[in-house]
mmCIF file of all heavy atoms in Angstrom:
data_model
loop_
_atom_site.group_PDB
_atom_site.id
_atom_site.type_symbol
_atom_site.label_atom_id
_atom_site.label_comp_id
_atom_site.label_asym_id
_atom_site.label_seq_id
_atom_site.Cartn_x
_atom_site.Cartn_y
_atom_site.Cartn_z
ATOM 1 N N GLU X 25 123.745 150.694 88.805
ATOM 2 C CA GLU X 25 122.586 151.356 89.332
ATOM 3 C C GLU X 25 121.350 150.910 88.557
ATOM 4 O O GLU X 25 121.305 151.149 87.300
ATOM 5 C CB GLU X 25 122.706 152.884 89.258
ATOM 6 C CG GLU X 25 121.498 153.687 89.836
ATOM 7 C CD GLU X 25 121.650 155.188 89.805
ATOM 8 O OE1 GLU X 25 122.812 155.653 89.559
ATOM 9 O OE2 GLU X 25 120.652 155.850 89.975
ATOM 10 N N VAL X 26 120.375 150.289 89.239
ATOM 11 C CA VAL X 26 119.258 149.690 88.523
ATOM 12 C C VAL X 26 117.938 150.255 89.077
ATOM 13 O O VAL X 26 117.730 150.265 90.268
ATOM 14 C CB VAL X 26 119.235 148.121 88.645
ATOM 15 C CG1 VAL X 26 118.170 147.577 87.727
ATOM 16 C CG2 VAL X 26 120.597 147.600 88.313
ATOM 17 N N GLN X 27 117.077 150.676 88.153
ATOM 18 C CA GLN X 27 115.700 151.154 88.529
ATOM 19 C C GLN X 27 114.752 150.067 88.056
ATOM 20 O O GLN X 27 114.834 149.551 86.898
ATOM 21 C CB GLN X 27 115.480 152.454 87.787
ATOM 22 C CG GLN X 27 116.440 153.567 88.245
ATOM 23 C CD GLN X 27 116.320 154.851 87.469
ATOM 24 O OE1 GLN X 27 117.017 155.776 87.774
ATOM 25 N NE2 GLN X 27 115.490 154.873 86.405
ATOM 26 N N VAL X 28 113.837 149.680 88.914
ATOM 27 C CA VAL X 28 113.055 148.511 88.627
ATOM 28 C C VAL X 28 111.524 148.835 88.758
ATOM 29 O O VAL X 28 111.140 149.716 89.468
ATOM 30 C CB VAL X 28 113.371 147.338 89.578
ATOM 31 C CG1 VAL X 28 114.817 146.883 89.401
ATOM 32 C CG2 VAL X 28 113.109 147.664 91.049
ATOM 33 N N TRP X 29 110.723 148.074 88.014
ATOM 34 C CA TRP X 29 109.303 148.199 88.039
ATOM 35 C C TRP X 29 108.717 146.794 87.807
ATOM 36 O O TRP X 29 109.263 145.961 87.107
ATOM 37 C CB TRP X 29 108.795 149.135 86.959
ATOM 38 C CG TRP X 29 107.324 149.097 86.765
ATOM 39 C CD1 TRP X 29 106.426 149.923 87.393
ATOM 40 C CD2 TRP X 29 106.561 148.264 85.897
ATOM 41 N NE1 TRP X 29 105.132 149.597 86.975
ATOM 42 C CE2 TRP X 29 105.207 148.594 86.031
ATOM 43 C CE3 TRP X 29 106.898 147.225 84.988
ATOM 44 C CZ2 TRP X 29 104.220 147.962 85.346
ATOM 45 C CZ3 TRP X 29 105.910 146.560 84.346
ATOM 46 C CH2 TRP X 29 104.551 146.973 84.482
ATOM 47 N N ASN X 30 107.487 146.605 88.367
ATOM 48 C CA ASN X 30 106.762 145.355 88.172
ATOM 49 C C ASN X 30 105.288 145.699 88.302
ATOM 50 O O ASN X 30 104.895 146.568 89.075
ATOM 51 C CB ASN X 30 107.193 144.284 89.149
ATOM 52 C CG ASN X 30 106.592 142.950 88.737
ATOM 53 O OD1 ASN X 30 107.065 142.341 87.814
ATOM 54 N ND2 ASN X 30 105.601 142.434 89.482
ATOM 55 N N ARG X 31 104.427 144.930 87.588
ATOM 56 C CA ARG X 31 102.991 145.181 87.744
ATOM 57 C C ARG X 31 102.534 144.955 89.156
ATOM 58 O O ARG X 31 101.640 145.705 89.645
ATOM 59 C CB ARG X 31 102.197 144.158 86.798
ATOM 60 C CG ARG X 31 102.363 144.420 85.346
ATOM 61 C CD ARG X 31 101.559 143.377 84.594
ATOM 62 N NE ARG X 31 101.893 143.361 83.166
ATOM 63 C CZ ARG X 31 101.111 144.020 82.242
ATOM 64 N NH1 ARG X 31 100.078 144.726 82.644
ATOM 65 N NH2 ARG X 31 101.430 143.947 80.940
ATOM 66 N N SER X 32 103.090 143.962 89.843
ATOM 67 C CA SER X 32 102.840 143.808 91.300
ATOM 68 C C SER X 32 103.959 144.561 92.005
ATOM 69 O O SER X 32 105.088 144.043 92.042
ATOM 70 C CB SER X 32 102.812 142.339 91.650
ATOM 71 O OG SER X 32 101.862 141.623 90.933
ATOM 72 N N PRO X 33 103.708 145.757 92.531
ATOM 73 C CA PRO X 33 104.767 146.641 93.044
ATOM 74 C C PRO X 33 105.657 145.932 94.148
ATOM 75 O O PRO X 33 106.819 146.292 94.219
ATOM 76 C CB PRO X 33 103.954 147.775 93.659
ATOM 77 C CG PRO X 33 102.663 147.812 92.910
ATOM 78 C CD PRO X 33 102.364 146.363 92.615
ATOM 79 N N GLU X 34 105.054 145.036 94.913
ATOM 80 C CA GLU X 34 105.814 144.434 96.036
ATOM 81 C C GLU X 34 107.054 143.653 95.451
ATOM 82 O O GLU X 34 108.034 143.559 96.244
ATOM 83 C CB GLU X 34 104.922 143.542 96.864
ATOM 84 C CG GLU X 34 104.365 142.316 96.159
ATOM 85 C CD GLU X 34 103.014 142.624 95.450
ATOM 86 O OE1 GLU X 34 102.659 143.822 95.347
ATOM 87 O OE2 GLU X 34 102.345 141.653 95.055
ATOM 88 N N LYS X 35 106.917 143.135 94.269
ATOM 89 C CA LYS X 35 108.113 142.442 93.732
ATOM 90 C C LYS X 35 109.244 143.329 93.399
ATOM 91 O O LYS X 35 110.392 142.909 93.445
ATOM 92 C CB LYS X 35 107.710 141.631 92.511
ATOM 93 C CG LYS X 35 106.832 140.412 92.761
ATOM 94 C CD LYS X 35 106.501 139.594 91.522
ATOM 95 C CE LYS X 35 105.683 138.347 91.866
ATOM 96 N NZ LYS X 35 105.421 137.567 90.657
ATOM 97 N N ALA X 36 108.937 144.555 93.078
ATOM 98 C CA ALA X 36 109.974 145.559 92.804
ATOM 99 C C ALA X 36 110.528 146.122 94.093
ATOM 100 O O ALA X 36 111.793 146.217 94.265
ATOM 101 C CB ALA X 36 109.369 146.697 91.904
ATOM 102 N N THR X 37 109.658 146.445 95.031
ATOM 103 C CA THR X 37 110.089 147.019 96.263
ATOM 104 C C THR X 37 110.942 146.070 97.103
ATOM 105 O O THR X 37 111.845 146.495 97.890
ATOM 106 C CB THR X 37 108.914 147.535 97.129
ATOM 107 O OG1 THR X 37 107.997 146.478 97.302
ATOM 108 C CG2 THR X 37 108.180 148.666 96.398
ATOM 109 N N ALA X 38 110.718 144.764 96.862
ATOM 110 C CA ALA X 38 111.501 143.815 97.618
ATOM 111 C C ALA X 38 113.034 143.891 97.218
ATOM 112 O O ALA X 38 113.821 143.434 98.040
ATOM 113 C CB ALA X 38 111.011 142.389 97.299
ATOM 114 N N LEU X 39 113.316 144.462 96.087
ATOM 115 C CA LEU X 39 114.718 144.577 95.659
ATOM 116 C C LEU X 39 115.382 145.841 96.169
ATOM 117 O O LEU X 39 116.613 145.993 95.950
ATOM 118 C CB LEU X 39 114.744 144.557 94.108
ATOM 119 C CG LEU X 39 114.514 143.167 93.505
ATOM 120 C CD1 LEU X 39 114.213 143.311 92.042
ATOM 121 C CD2 LEU X 39 115.676 142.231 93.743
ATOM 122 N N GLU X 40 114.630 146.672 96.845
ATOM 123 C CA GLU X 40 115.270 147.915 97.409
ATOM 124 C C GLU X 40 116.320 147.544 98.469
ATOM 125 O O GLU X 40 117.318 148.252 98.607
ATOM 126 C CB GLU X 40 114.156 148.836 97.981
ATOM 127 C CG GLU X 40 113.289 149.452 96.887
ATOM 128 C CD GLU X 40 112.254 150.412 97.507
ATOM 129 O OE1 GLU X 40 111.714 150.081 98.567
ATOM 130 O OE2 GLU X 40 112.024 151.420 96.885
ATOM 131 N N ALA X 41 116.081 146.483 99.139
ATOM 132 C CA ALA X 41 117.003 146.087 100.227
ATOM 133 C C ALA X 41 118.349 145.708 99.628
ATOM 134 O O ALA X 41 119.447 145.801 100.218
ATOM 135 C CB ALA X 41 116.434 144.930 101.034
#
Side-chain angles (χ1 to χ4, degrees):
E25 183 178 343
V26 188
Q27 299 173 175
V28 300
W29 171 89
N30 192 72
R31 289 179 191 267
S32 302
E34 63 274 11
K35 290 187 177 181
T37 55
L39 286 165
E40 289 182 322

